[in-house]
Amino acid sequence: MRRLAWAWVLCLPLTTFAGGASEHRLLDTPLANAPGRQLTAITVRYAPGESSRAHRHPGAAFVYVLEGRVRSALAGQRPRVYRAGESWFEPPGAHHRISANASDREPARLLVVFVAAPGAPLSVPEVSSDRPKDPAK
């Protein structure tokens, strides 16, 4: 019965701490070859024109664009538009200052794979409630 309860929880859509996108958890599993670390895989969906607040990820994040186009920038980087089939890596603690759907008409969807300590939050929002200015808009 306990396994059934966890299966049900993993199928629920999530709301990110960073706000502005919907998430769906796909997988949580401990990493046997990396004690104290867990792999978590989610999909993130941005509606047309939707964006997330600036945030950080306590763990490492590998991001792959499944559908649409996503504008992204870490601190110190210029904003870049990633298309379906493209990917990037975010080291633990990196300041993800821009994360947005690059289209006002089409949705965008990402696969994000995190490696972090079990129970660590996937995203931690910046303390400012203001969204970053995106020079491309």
Side-chain angles (χ1 to χ4, degrees):
M1 188 66 156
R2 187 173 177 195
R3 284 185 185 176
L4 188 58
W6 274 110
W8 180 79
V9 168
L10 293 176
C11 290
L12 293 175
L14 304 171
T15 302
T16 80
F17 282 108
S22 61
E23 295 179 0
H24 180 77
R25 191 175 298 252
L26 301 172
L27 174 70
D28 281 307
T29 188
L31 294 173
N33 64 338
R37 293 290 176 248
Q38 175 173 302
L39 183 139
T40 301
I42 64 172
T43 55
V44 177
R45 184 183 187 284
Y46 284 112
E50 195 171 39
S51 63
S52 295
R53 290 189 350 214
H55 59 277
R56 296 176 191 271
H57 302 291
F62 166 76
V63 186
Y64 180 83
V65 181
L66 295 167
E67 171 187 3
R69 298 178 298 130
V70 175
R71 182 175 298 106
S72 181
L74 299 179
Q77 295 179 348
R78 296 186 60 143
R80 176 176 167 195
V81 174
Y82 294 87
R83 291 167 170 64
E86 295 183 312
S87 62
W88 70 90
F89 176 77
E90 297 181 29
H95 180 201
H96 196 171
R97 58 186 188 86
I98 296 173
S99 184
N101 186 336
S103 172
D104 289 330
R105 291 177 279 187
E106 301 293 328
R109 198 164 50 101
L110 308 167
L111 169 66
V112 186
V113 178
F114 297 97
V115 175
L122 299 181
S123 294
V124 178
E126 291 296 303
V127 290
S128 170
S129 61
D130 295 334
R131 291 191 182 209
K133 301 285 188 246
D134 186 345
K137 287 211 169 196

